[in-house]
Amino acid sequence: MFEKFKFSRKIKAFRGKKVTCTAYNADNCSISLKSGWHKAELAFRLVTFDNKLQLAFSGDVISSDGECLARVMRVMWNEPLPSSLVSDELVQQLWENSKHEAHFCDMASYVAGMPNEVVVTVKSVYRIDNE
């Protein structure tokens, strides 16, 4: 019961307060975030979902909330793309067409075709314990 309360407080903090990046590791495709006194660490990678190339997040309870992920993307917007993502064939074309180091904002405009908007898809998974 207390865990649900902690999770809801954390989600509320990442929805309502300023989200800042405390560490960005392009080699491991991970980002550490802070909102108020709550901290989260997320891993990300490119996946094909619904015949589109999308960015997937995992690692914390905030990865199941669309509004939290939108704020995470706002923080990541100007971060450089990791080389492991650039190895993807579609993103490689973006990298070659770019005159500078490719960033997440470049990928959003290339993949989604909407340079000022990022579409976040949330797929929730629930586990039932038979205890």
Side-chain angles (χ1 to χ4, degrees):
M1 183 173 154
F2 188 65
E3 290 296 317
K4 289 176 90 174
F5 175 74
K6 285 185 359 185
F7 290 158
S8 67
R9 296 286 294 172
K10 190 172 198 176
I11 288 175
K12 188 175 180 179
F14 275 89
R15 282 182 178 177
K17 295 182 180 167
K18 183 178 179 182
V19 178
T20 57
C21 176
T22 57
Y24 175 75
N25 189 334
D27 295 332
N28 292 338
C29 292
S30 67
I31 186 168
S32 296
L33 305 156
K34 184 178 179 182
S35 180
W37 59 274
H38 294 278
K39 296 179 182 178
E41 186 166 337
L42 298 174
F44 56 88
R45 67 183 177 115
L46 285 176
V47 295
T48 304
F49 179 77
D50 202 18
N51 293 326
K52 295 177 190 171
L53 196 59
Q54 296 191 7
L55 196 61
F57 291 92
S58 65
D60 199 284
V61 69
I62 66 167
S63 64
S64 65
D65 186 81
E67 190 173 338
C68 292
L69 290 182
R71 289 175 178 265
V72 170
M73 274 309 303
R74 189 180 310 155
V75 171
M76 293 175 66
W77 198 246
N78 291 317
E79 296 290 344
L81 285 173
S83 58
S84 61
L85 297 186
V86 176
S87 65
D88 186 277
E89 184 178 321
L90 294 174
V91 181
Q92 186 66 39
Q93 293 173 9
L94 167 68
W95 189 267
E96 291 171 359
N97 294 336
S98 178
K99 294 182 174 95
H100 55 78
E101 187 177 44
H103 294 80
F104 281 97
C105 56
D106 300 324
M107 185 190 73
S109 62
Y110 176 79
V111 174
M114 299 171 275
N116 297 322
E117 183 178 3
V118 174
V119 178
V120 177
T121 303
V122 178
K123 179 181 176 186
S124 296
V125 177
Y126 297 97
R127 185 179 67 166
I128 299 172
D129 291 328
N130 294 330
E131 293 181 9

